[in-house]
């Protein structure tokens, strides 16, 4: 009955809803005025004020209702009635009472005297009745009269919703609680906060607990999850909190940061799994604005591999730096469509003047690259197109060589011919003493740019005319480790395995990796690319390497689950070791030698590393192409050994074509 009446009210047209509100407010104004006489004179001594002062009961709604309309009281949606609407009611009621008081004062000099205290009584009674009814109707329309009545006797109940505690009783925490109550997907049962001035108090109807009382909070409330509502806390502090929460059987998730909220990408009630970057606990260094803008602002910029993990983030950050033209070069139609749609929405939303040009193509097509760079007068190229998945490239050696080496060569030579000013290669820590084809081809790509940068007027590879090209391009390379959430990253895989109930697969108990967030890596790439003099190999400070098995354990614990092991056979999720895959190393490095110097940016170093001359390298590249064309992967491996310093392949050749030909000679 109650639900059907509520649904009927909600389904009414807006005009009818407003008519009901105006009629109700008129009755409330009359009721408040009548009660004002009762409070002043009492029931026994009071004559009927309606008969004694009919003009007063006529003038009260005539004064009040227009003011209520003017202050927007009938535009507020009752279900989302908040502080601003309450302030509007206070202003409207106070002003109407003041005007009514002036009328009473003027009229009392000519007619029957009205006690002046009636106006004060009318004011506070109107506030209670008009404001109180709206607050009550908000709870009625939300369908939950006791959301904030946790400490009221006889009001506790189990509605079947997951019970969550909110870590952080500040603005974000209170907004989250309001959103959860409105959404009816989770039931907030407590706050957790470090601020000793508010602990053991009640905020928004919820008890605030100290972090050291979390177990007591779990016992009292039955909380199953913790939602982190501390978006402004530095990563170091978030890591401490996560480390402490890891000891409790709670699924830990978080709400977005203020920058994401302000940009409109997410809402305050968009709850997500804990950002793994918080587990690393490292705060990013503020960007240097002049380095960010130097090669981008007002220029024509080309990003190859624009739809990939790094390429797409480069595009996002480049767009915010005001380029004249941003060319998105990508061979995957779906990836190109995805990043273009996102950037176009941002251009419209922020009224940006940047021209976006999506182009489908391959870095193996040098004529197309040259045509693009000349047509749009490209001034800066960020070359992110590459095959980066180690086992995949190990099984497809020819594609690794053609895409990573020849693709980089084609893009670099097109840039040189078109007179591009800046060329930045996205490299990898796997290029250092590689044990796999992917790493060795990326090192070979670095060496190609190093060799080209030393030539004032090189004869380009594959140019039968033997004509020298004037080199006006500044080539730089930026080398870093794994980025969180990139394609092939272990983090999304762990999330998927946890949702499936496990097990989590780790290749080796001792395997470690460097990690960095994609936005931080892209930002540092842009800054590093602005600092080079030509042929520089920049290395990003990746912090301390992380043991993958420890990362897996933390992710299990923060999902509210336990690790199943020999010591805990009844745990929820097991961790299994599958063994190193083809080409994988236990430990990654960032430097080939010890020749490294600091730069003006504290997280960017410059490495001095050996390379071959351009003439020698061209001959070696010819040999690579011949070996790939003949599917002679033994020869490819031998050439990589001779060319790439420290290349030590691990295991037999596992290329699919090579293996099949050995089976079917």
């Amino acid at each position: 009955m109650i639900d059907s009446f509520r649904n009927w009210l909600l389904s009414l047209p807006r005009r009818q809803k407003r008519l009901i509100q105006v009629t109700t407010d008129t009755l409330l104004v009359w009721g408040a005025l009548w009660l004002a006489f009762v409070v002043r004179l009492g029931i026994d001594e009071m004559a009927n004020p309606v008969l004694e002062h009919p003009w007063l009961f006529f003038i009260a709604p005539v004064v009040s209702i227009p003011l209520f309309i003017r202050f927007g009281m009938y535009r507020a949606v009752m279900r989302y009635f908040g502080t601003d609407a309450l302030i509007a009611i206070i202003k409207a009621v106070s002003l109407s009472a003041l005007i009514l008081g002036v009328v009473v004062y003027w009229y009392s000099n000519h007619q029957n005297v009205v006690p002046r205290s009636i106006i004060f009584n009318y004011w506070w009674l109107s506030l209670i009745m008009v404001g109180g009814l709206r607050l009550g109707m908000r709870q009625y329309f939300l369908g939950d009269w006791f959301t904030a009545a946790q400490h009221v006797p006889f009001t506790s109940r189990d509605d079947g919703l997951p019970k969550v505690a909110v870590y952080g009783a500040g603005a974000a925490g209170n907004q989250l609680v309001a959103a959860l109550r409105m959404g009816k997907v989770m039931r907030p049962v407590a706050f957790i906060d470090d601020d000793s001035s508010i602990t053991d108090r009640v905020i928004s109807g919820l008890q605030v607990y100290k972090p050291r009382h979390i177990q007591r909070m779990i016992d009292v409330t039955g909380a199953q999850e913790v939602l982190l509502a501390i978006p402004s806390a530095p990563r170091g502090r978030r890591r401490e909190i996560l480390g402490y929460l890891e000891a409790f059987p709670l699924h830990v998730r978080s709400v977005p940061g203020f920058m994401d909220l302000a940009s409109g990408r997410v809402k305050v009630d968009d709850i997500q799994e804990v950002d793994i970057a918080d587990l690393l606990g490292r705060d990013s260094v503020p960007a240097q604005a002049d380095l960010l803008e130097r090669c981008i602002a007002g220029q024509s910029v080309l990003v190859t591999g624009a739809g990939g993990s790094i390429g797409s983030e480069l595009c996002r950050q480049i767009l915010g730096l005001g380029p004249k033209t941003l060319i998105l070069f990508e061979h995957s139609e779906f990836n190109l469509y995805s990043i273009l749609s996102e950037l176009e929405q941002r251009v419209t939303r922020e009224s940006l003047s940047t021209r976006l040009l999506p182009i489908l193509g391959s870095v193996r097509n040098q004529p197309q690259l040259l045509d693009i760079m000349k047509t749009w007068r490209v001034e800066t190229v960020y070359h992110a197109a590459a095959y980066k998945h180690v086992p995949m490239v190990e099984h497809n050696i020819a594609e690794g060589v053609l895409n990573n080496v020849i693709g980089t060569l084609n893009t670099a030579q097109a840039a040189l011919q078109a007179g591009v000013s800046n060329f930045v290669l996205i490299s990898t820590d796997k290029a250092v003493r590689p044990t796999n084809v992917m790493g060795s081809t990326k090192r070979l790509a670095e060496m190609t740019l190093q060799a080209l940068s030393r030539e004032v007027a090189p004869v380009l590879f594959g140019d039968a005319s033997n004509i020298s090209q004037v080199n006006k391009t500044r080539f730089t390379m930026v080398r870093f480790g794994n980025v969180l959430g990139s394609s092939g990253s272990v983090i999304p895989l762990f999330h998927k395995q946890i949702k499936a109930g496990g097990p989590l697969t780790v290749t080796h108990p001792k395997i470690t990796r460097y990690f960095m967030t994609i936005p931080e890596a892209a930002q540092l790439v842009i800054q590093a690319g602005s600092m080079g003099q030509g042929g520089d190999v920049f290395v990003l400070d990746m912090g301390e390497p992380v043991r993958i098995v420890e990362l897996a354990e933390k992710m299990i614990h923060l999902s509210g689950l336990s690790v199943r092991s020999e010591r805990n056979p009844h745990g929820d999720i097991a961790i299994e070791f599958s063994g190193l895959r083809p080409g994988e190393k236990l430990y990654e490095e960032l430097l080939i030698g010890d020749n490294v110097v600091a730069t003006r940016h504290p997280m960017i170093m410059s490495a001095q590393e050996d390379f071959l001359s351009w003439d020698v390298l061209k001959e070696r590249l010819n040999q690579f192409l011949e070996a790939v064309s003949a599917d002679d992967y033994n020869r490819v491996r031998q050439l990589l050994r001779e060319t790439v310093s420290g290349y030590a392949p691990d295991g037999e050749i596992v290329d699919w074509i090579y293996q099949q030909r050995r089976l079917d000679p």
Side-chain angles (χ1 to χ4, degrees), residues 272-329:
Q272 57 200 22
E273 295 298 330
V274 170
D275 190 347
I276 302 302
D278 294 334
L279 294 178
L280 304 182
R282 191 181 58 152
D283 292 305
S284 57
V285 174
Q288 298 181 19
D290 61 321
L291 292 179
L292 284 176
E293 296 176 355
R294 183 174 297 171
C295 299
I296 294 173
Q299 299 183 29
S300 181
V301 180
L302 167 67
V303 179
T304 69
S309 307
I310 294 294
S312 60
E313 182 60 31
L314 280 170
C315 291
R316 294 183 191 101
Q317 299 203 20
I318 289 168
L319 183 60
L321 296 170
K324 179 178 66 177
T325 304
L326 176 56
I327 303 170
L328 316 174
F329 190 80

Side-chain angles (χ1 to χ4, degrees), residues 107 110 114 121-122 130 141 258 261 272 276 281 316 324 350 355 458 542 546 552 567 655:
Y107 195 77
H110 303 85
V114 176
N121 291 339
Y122 167 75
V130 174
F141 285 127
F258 285 132
L261 295 172
Q272 57 200 22
I276 302 302
R316 294 183 191 101
K324 179 178 66 177
E350 300 178 14
R355 182 184 182 188
M542 301 291 294
V546 177
R567 287 186 292 181
D655 182 273

Side-chain angles (χ1 to χ4, degrees), residues 237-299:
R237 176 59 188 146
R238 292 172 75 91
R239 183 183 184 183
E240 290 178 17
I241 293 170
L242 291 173
Y244 185 72
L245 292 174
E246 197 180 337
F248 300 96
L250 295 167
H251 184 185
V252 182
R253 294 195 281 176
S254 66
V255 294
F258 285 132
M259 292 307 295
D260 290 329
L261 295 172
S263 67
R265 289 196 294 266
V266 292
K267 303 186 293 296
V268 72
D269 57 336
D270 281 343
I271 298 165
Q272 57 200 22
E273 295 298 330
V274 170
D275 190 347
I276 302 302
D278 294 334
L279 294 178
L280 304 182
R282 191 181 58 152
D283 292 305
S284 57
V285 174
Q288 298 181 19
D290 61 321
L291 292 179
L292 284 176
E293 296 176 355
R294 183 174 297 171
C295 299
I296 294 173
Q299 299 183 29

Side-chain angles (χ1 to χ4, degrees), residues 449-584:
L449 298 192
Q450 286 177 295
L452 269 176
S453 67
R454 294 295 186 268
E455 298 293 320
V456 177
V459 175
L460 299 184
F461 178 79
D463 187 357
S465 65
N466 243 15
I467 298 174
S468 299
Q469 296 284 337
V470 177
N471 188 355
K472 298 180 181 179
T473 305
R474 182 172 58 90
F475 293 102
T476 55
M477 295 131 273
V478 186
R479 185 188 293 161
F480 54 92
N482 297 271
V483 287
L484 297 170
S486 66
S487 58
S489 171
V490 71
I491 307 303
L493 175 62
F494 282 169
H495 277 307
K496 185 177 180 180
Q497 290 175 337
I498 289 172
K499 286 182 179 179
L504 267 63
T505 53
V506 179
T507 55
H508 193 281
K510 294 183 178 179
I511 194 168
T512 65
R513 289 293 181 264
Y514 290 99
F515 284 102
M516 179 178 282
T517 65
I518 295 178
E520 183 182 9
Q523 191 178 81
L524 289 172
V525 163
I526 293 172
Q527 293 176 88
S530 299
M531 292 192 295
Q533 301 302 311
D536 308 80
V537 178
F538 290 109
V539 179
L540 304 187
D541 180 359
M542 301 291 294
E544 295 298 319
V546 177
R547 286 186 65 203
I548 302 300
V549 67
E550 292 180 358
L551 195 61
E553 290 171 353
K554 287 179 181 293
M555 290 180 66
I556 291 172
H557 291 150
L558 293 173
S559 296
L561 306 170
S562 60
V563 178
R564 188 190 310 150
S565 62
E566 291 182 0
R567 287 186 292 181
N568 183 24
H570 302 293
D572 300 302
I573 294 182
I575 296 177
E576 294 182 355
F577 298 103
S578 57
L580 291 175
R581 295 173 297 178
E584 274 194 323

Side-chain angles (χ1 to χ4, degrees), residues 126-352:
S126 294
L127 283 179
I128 292 174
M129 295 173 72
V130 174
L133 178 65
R134 281 167 167 76
L135 289 172
M137 292 306 292
R138 180 184 69 176
Q139 295 304 110
Y140 173 69
F141 285 127
L142 287 175
D144 191 350
W145 289 95
F146 303 112
T147 52
Q150 196 169 325
H151 301 279
V152 178
F154 311 114
T155 62
S156 61
R157 75 209 186 288
D158 186 3
D159 49 15
L161 297 178
K163 297 177 180 179
V164 299
V166 177
Y167 200 116
N174 278 274
Q175 289 179 52
L176 178 61
V177 166
L180 292 176
R181 284 172 172 167
M182 201 167 295
K184 293 186 175 62
V185 177
M186 300 178 179
R187 183 172 184 79
V189 293
F191 277 116
I192 306 169
D193 204 284
D194 303 315
D195 187 353
S196 58
S197 64
I198 62 172
T199 50
D200 297 326
R201 301 181 68 179
V202 175
I203 296 177
S204 296
L206 302 179
Q207 178 80 30
V208 183
Y209 290 87
K210 297 178 182 178
R212 67 172 181 266
H213 294 155
I214 288 179
Q215 188 58 56
R216 178 157 62 90
M217 181 272 295
I218 296 173
D219 295 338
V220 172
T221 65
Q224 302 156 293
E225 295 191 31
V226 169
L227 304 180
L228 298 182
I230 46 174
S232 59
R235 283 226 171 94
R237 176 59 188 146
R238 292 172 75 91
R239 183 183 184 183
E240 290 178 17
I241 293 170
L242 291 173
Y244 185 72
L245 292 174
E246 197 180 337
F248 300 96
L250 295 167
H251 184 185
V252 182
R253 294 195 281 176
S254 66
V255 294
F258 285 132
M259 292 307 295
D260 290 329
L261 295 172
S263 67
R265 289 196 294 266
V266 292
K267 303 186 293 296
V268 72
D269 57 336
D270 281 343
I271 298 165
Q272 57 200 22
E273 295 298 330
V274 170
D275 190 347
I276 302 302
D278 294 334
L279 294 178
L280 304 182
R282 191 181 58 152
D283 292 305
S284 57
V285 174
Q288 298 181 19
D290 61 321
L291 292 179
L292 284 176
E293 296 176 355
R294 183 174 297 171
C295 299
I296 294 173
Q299 299 183 29
S300 181
V301 180
L302 167 67
V303 179
T304 69
S309 307
I310 294 294
S312 60
E313 182 60 31
L314 280 170
C315 291
R316 294 183 191 101
Q317 299 203 20
I318 289 168
L319 183 60
L321 296 170
K324 179 178 66 177
T325 304
L326 176 56
I327 303 170
L328 316 174
F329 190 80
E330 172 63 52
H331 81 284
S332 167
E333 182 185 35
F334 175 77
N335 288 351
L336 183 60
Y337 172 77
S338 297
I339 186 61
L340 176 66
S341 300
E342 177 186 334
L343 297 182
E344 283 180 334
Q345 290 177 15
R346 182 176 170 190
V347 167
T348 302
R349 185 173 64 246
E350 300 178 14
S351 301
L352 302 177

Side-chain angles (χ1 to χ4, degrees), residues 357-635:
L357 294 172
I359 297 180
L360 279 170
S362 169
V363 290
R364 298 187 198 177
N365 188 344
Q366 185 172 331
Q368 182 192 20
L369 288 165
L370 178 58
D371 188 34
I372 292 167
M373 294 180 195
K374 282 185 174 180
T375 301
W376 283 285
R377 297 177 183 177
V378 173
E379 295 161 271
T380 300
V381 173
Y382 292 96
H383 182 51
Y387 290 142
K388 306 181 183 74
H389 193 274
V390 170
M392 196 71 73
V393 176
E394 207 70 16
H395 287 295
N396 297 273
I397 293 175
E399 291 300 305
V401 172
L402 294 174
N403 205 63
N404 293 356
V405 181
I406 305 304
T408 301
L409 173 69
N410 290 341
T411 312
Q413 290 194 150
L416 192 148
Q417 288 176 284
V420 172
S421 301
N422 310 293
F423 187 104
V424 183
L425 169 68
I426 313 303
S427 191
T428 172
D429 59 351
K430 293 173 179 61
V432 178
R433 281 181 279 276
T435 59
N436 51 68
V437 175
M438 193 282 277
S440 58
T441 54
K442 290 297 286 184
R443 175 58 190 145
L444 198 49
E446 290 181 357
M447 294 172 68
T448 301
L449 298 192
Q450 286 177 295
L452 269 176
S453 67
R454 294 295 186 268
E455 298 293 320
V456 177
V459 175
L460 299 184
F461 178 79
D463 187 357
S465 65
N466 243 15
I467 298 174
S468 299
Q469 296 284 337
V470 177
N471 188 355
K472 298 180 181 179
T473 305
R474 182 172 58 90
F475 293 102
T476 55
M477 295 131 273
V478 186
R479 185 188 293 161
F480 54 92
N482 297 271
V483 287
L484 297 170
S486 66
S487 58
S489 171
V490 71
I491 307 303
L493 175 62
F494 282 169
H495 277 307
K496 185 177 180 180
Q497 290 175 337
I498 289 172
K499 286 182 179 179
L504 267 63
T505 53
V506 179
T507 55
H508 193 281
K510 294 183 178 179
I511 194 168
T512 65
R513 289 293 181 264
Y514 290 99
F515 284 102
M516 179 178 282
T517 65
I518 295 178
E520 183 182 9
Q523 191 178 81
L524 289 172
V525 163
I526 293 172
Q527 293 176 88
S530 299
M531 292 192 295
Q533 301 302 311
D536 308 80
V537 178
F538 290 109
V539 179
L540 304 187
D541 180 359
M542 301 291 294
E544 295 298 319
V546 177
R547 286 186 65 203
I548 302 300
V549 67
E550 292 180 358
L551 195 61
E553 290 171 353
K554 287 179 181 293
M555 290 180 66
I556 291 172
H557 291 150
L558 293 173
S559 296
L561 306 170
S562 60
V563 178
R564 188 190 310 150
S565 62
E566 291 182 0
R567 287 186 292 181
N568 183 24
H570 302 293
D572 300 302
I573 294 182
I575 296 177
E576 294 182 355
F577 298 103
S578 57
L580 291 175
R581 295 173 297 178
E584 274 194 323
K585 296 168 66 175
L586 276 180
Y587 312 103
E588 298 291 358
E589 305 167 89
L590 288 166
L591 295 172
I592 295 175
D594 297 324
N595 300 323
V596 61
V597 295
T599 67
R600 56 177 287 191
H601 196 290
M603 294 190 70
I604 302 174
M605 300 172 288
S606 179
Q608 309 298 318
E609 297 181 351
D610 297 331
F611 59 94
L612 300 177
S613 69
W614 178 237
D615 289 335
V616 173
L617 186 63
K618 282 197 298 181
E619 177 56 34
R620 198 63 56 85
L621 291 174
N622 259 324
Q623 295 173 13
F624 270 109
L625 286 178
E626 290 172 1
V628 167
S629 179
D631 292 331
D632 188 351
Y633 298 115
N634 280 312
R635 178 63 176 153

